[in-house]
Amino acid sequence: MSAHPGGPATAAPGTRRRPSRRLVRTVTVVASCLALLTAAVVVGARVLGQEPTVTLLANWTREDETNFRKAVIEPFERKYHIHVDYQGSNAESQVLGADVEAGTPPDVVVLTGPGELAEYARQKHLLPLEDLVDPQDFGPSWAMRLTDGHVYWFPLKADLKSIVWYPGDVGAQQRGQAAHEPAQWCVGMGSGATSGWPGTDWIEDILLQRYGPEVYEQWARGDLSWRSKQVRDAWTTWRDLVGAGGDPDLVRRALKTPFGAVSRLVTTEPRGCTLEHQASFIRGQQAWRQAHGRWSPSAPLLVKTAANRAWEVSGDLVALLHTTPEARKLIRYLASTDAQRAWGAEKSGFSVHTDVRPGPGDPDSDWRLPLARTLRDPGETHCYDASDAMPPAVRDAFAEATIEFLAHRDHLEALLRSLETLSNTRGLTWLRSVCDRTPD
């Protein structure tokens, strides 16, 4: 979740070189400070000097950034002798919006939201990728063509979302019992500028499992009312599962705990919670490694069906905003089997590239292989995270609404009316499809 992309619609940047985004910011901030200005000139000389450079913005920070640099960026720099000026930010949508408005966008961006990218494509800020990437390497649901016939993004990595994690020593009967106890769900809503998105994942998955991909897709593309029985039912089911508006201590824990920290509760004595509805990337958390985390399809625990009706998925999507020889090489590299396989090897996600096959070969293959195979299985229906596919303004309001609803369950009708009004705003960009289809 992130802010609505800013800036007026302008022509896509051309091939002319322009000052780096960081140099522009530096000069603005330190114009009145001689010492810092001198340092900025030294940095600028490096960026604008003899070393070819490509700018890249993504949301990976800390350990994820370290892994990304080691597995992907450094091999690219060694192979092509091109410096990657990488910026990782937990508020990358806001950063990107400001850079686009200032006329200093990065060359390449990695975003989770196809809805946000579709808006940038409509504003002519993105460049088509067909001459750099073969969309068939990823499939139409991952590298989709927009209404203008062009492909503007592809996934660097993907994750499965319709799953529930539990400690390795918790049996099926215990899981079934825990699912009916709100305190046993590990819920953390905090995520900085994008707080609330874990709540949207719950509501999306409940709707998908209870009513199927057709209803889910109608809603994700703006054709099903927020006040419909199906959508309202998804919200109230989430309320009952996690105790929205109930125990103040439980609500406070969910609202104050960052999504990446709530997993620690599975390692306390006694355990603070047992089940976590979260995407496949969460298994990389130290707590779940320590607890020997295993996963279950979400449907039996959320809506009491025997099996998932479809699988919610998400991805980190690569797009091109400024075409230079260096940027084109980086795009081709990120779409290559080498880069896709290397990033997947860091266990930060999975590749859906058709030539990168999951295989046994590491000690975690007992839980990773089934995830990878489910994510790629052509016999299953996969639906992209609905909020990430929605227009950014709707996505952000949805995330904020889940926070308010968790604290005030009696606000539901007002929240749904507000989301309905916003979704009916003219000029929003909606994707026409978010699900692939199970073959007949």
Side-chain angles (χ1 to χ4, degrees), residues 65 212 240 244 252 271 383 389 436:
E65 178 179 345
D240 296 340
R252 189 178 301 111
R271 281 192 178 118
C383 295
D436 56 21

Side-chain angles (χ1 to χ4, degrees), residues 54-73:
V54 56
T55 54
L56 172 64
L57 172 67
N59 65 358
W60 297 307
T61 60
R62 299 182 181 178
E63 183 179 354
D64 285 336
E65 178 179 345
T66 299
N67 292 340
F68 181 57
R69 287 183 180 275
K70 177 181 176 182
V72 180
I73 291 179

Side-chain angles (χ1 to χ4, degrees), residues 41-337:
V41 170
V42 172
V43 173
R46 177 180 182 274
V47 172
L48 298 177
Q50 299 302 313
E51 184 178 26
T53 298
V54 56
T55 54
L56 172 64
L57 172 67
N59 65 358
W60 297 307
T61 60
R62 299 182 181 178
E63 183 179 354
D64 285 336
E65 178 179 345
T66 299
N67 292 340
F68 181 57
R69 287 183 180 275
K70 177 181 176 182
V72 180
I73 291 179
E74 291 177 7
F76 172 81
E77 291 178 326
R78 287 194 299 267
K79 181 176 182 179
Y80 293 103
H81 305 287
I82 295 171
H83 172 64
V84 178
D85 181 12
Y86 175 79
Q87 180 179 5
S89 173
N90 291 325
E92 66 166 332
S93 288
Q94 292 90 334
V95 172
L96 180 60
D99 286 345
V100 168
E101 186 170 10
T104 58
D107 298 319
V108 178
V109 68
V110 183
L111 286 173
T112 59
E116 186 171 357
L117 289 172
E119 176 66 11
Y120 278 119
R122 184 187 67 81
Q123 295 178 359
K124 307 299 182 185
H125 290 302
L126 300 187
L127 293 144
L129 299 179
E130 296 95 312
D131 64 332
L132 300 174
V133 177
D134 185 352
Q136 294 184 0
D137 284 344
F138 301 97
S141 61
W142 291 103
M144 65 179 65
R145 292 186 183 274
L146 299 187
T147 54
D148 63 2
H150 291 300
V151 173
Y152 291 96
W153 60 80
F154 65 91
L156 179 55
K157 76 178 187 74
D159 281 289
L160 198 65
K161 284 201 164 187
S162 295
I163 53 179
V164 173
W165 291 95
Y166 60 92
D169 61 356
V170 174
Q173 183 175 358
Q174 290 174 280
R175 298 197 297 273
Q177 293 172 346
H180 301 291
E181 302 175 21
Q184 292 303 311
W185 286 103
C186 308
V187 181
M189 299 286 281
S191 187
T194 61
S195 293
W197 66 259
T200 69
D201 280 2
W202 274 89
I203 292 165
E204 292 159 5
D205 198 19
I206 291 169
L207 182 72
L208 179 61
Q209 305 313 327
R210 178 154 288 168
Y211 295 104
E214 288 77 15
V215 169
Y216 178 92
E217 189 163 55
Q218 290 175 18
W219 173 59
R221 68 189 185 205
D223 292 337
L224 179 67
S225 171
W226 287 86
R227 302 175 69 187
S228 67
K229 175 186 180 301
Q230 298 97 320
V231 176
R232 183 181 284 105
D233 177 62
W235 284 77
T236 57
T237 300
W238 180 51
R239 174 199 66 196
D240 296 340
L241 283 167
V242 303
D247 182 343
D249 291 335
L250 193 58
V251 171
R252 189 178 301 111
R253 182 181 83 178
L255 293 177
K256 289 190 173 183
T257 306
F259 83 93
V262 74
S263 305
R264 298 171 189 164
L265 296 175
V266 301
T267 63
T268 61
E269 185 60 44
R271 281 192 178 118
C273 56
T274 305
L275 307 174
E276 185 172 7
H277 179 263
Q278 188 54 273
S280 50
F281 64 75
I282 206 65
R283 182 53 168 77
Q285 292 284 338
Q286 176 60 35
W288 278 118
R289 294 197 296 265
Q290 182 179 337
H292 306 289
R294 295 294 182 264
W295 62 275
S296 166
S298 63
L301 295 172
L302 299 188
V303 298
K304 302 178 184 178
T305 62
N308 281 39
R309 303 184 67 176
W311 299 88
E312 186 177 9
V313 300
S314 65
D316 291 278
L317 308 174
V318 182
L320 179 66
L321 290 95
H322 184 261
T323 182
T324 67
E326 294 78 19
R328 294 169 68 86
K329 285 181 179 178
L330 181 60
I331 288 288
R332 288 194 179 99
Y333 175 75
L334 295 178
S336 71
T337 56

